[in-house]
Amino acid sequence: MDFVVAANEAVINVREHGGGAGTLELWCDDDCLTVEITDSSGTLQAHDVHRPTPEADSPRGFGLWLMGRLCDEFSISQMVGRSRVRLRMRLTPLSLPGTG
């Protein structure tokens, strides 16, 4: 469910801030579920991944922060006129050293 919430936030960001149109690609391999959402404005940049925690009483500004908290990997890349958000979640938890 965390992955669905994070992907939904990324899609909403494209609708509200990313030019209103984009593409979504989703795939799964043995280890991870991955989604890439590409917008049509290119305003997001790699440094936007590292958002501070929004103020508790703030009505907005939680989307990127939430994506970073819910997913195992969250990255933003830029192309000419577009930004791409990549979210990944491991399908099985990692084992801690010494736990098997």
Side-chain angles (χ1 to χ4, degrees):
M1 189 51 108
D2 288 347
F3 189 79
V4 172
V5 170
N8 184 65
E9 286 294 330
V11 170
I12 289 170
N13 278 351
V14 168
R15 296 279 299 153
E16 292 185 2
H17 312 291
T23 60
L24 183 142
E25 296 178 66
L26 177 70
W27 67 93
C28 184
D29 60 26
D30 290 340
D31 301 318
C32 292
L33 183 59
T34 304
V35 65
E36 288 185 347
I37 298 99
T38 304
D39 68 26
S40 60
S41 72
T43 56
L44 282 177
Q45 297 180 14
H47 66 80
D48 290 318
V49 168
H50 305 290
R51 290 283 171 119
T53 304
E55 296 294 322
D57 60 349
S58 177
R60 299 185 59 84
F62 287 88
L64 295 173
W65 175 82
L66 190 62
M67 286 179 238
R69 295 290 182 260
L70 293 177
C71 293
D72 296 316
E73 179 187 320
F74 168 38
S75 62
I76 298 171
S77 56
Q78 283 231 284
M79 300 154 288
V80 176
R82 295 186 219 173
S83 300
R84 177 177 292 146
V85 169
R86 174 183 261 203
L87 304 170
R88 294 188 78 183
M89 187 167 282
R90 283 186 291 280
L91 297 174
T92 56
L94 291 177
S95 296
L96 297 174
T99 63

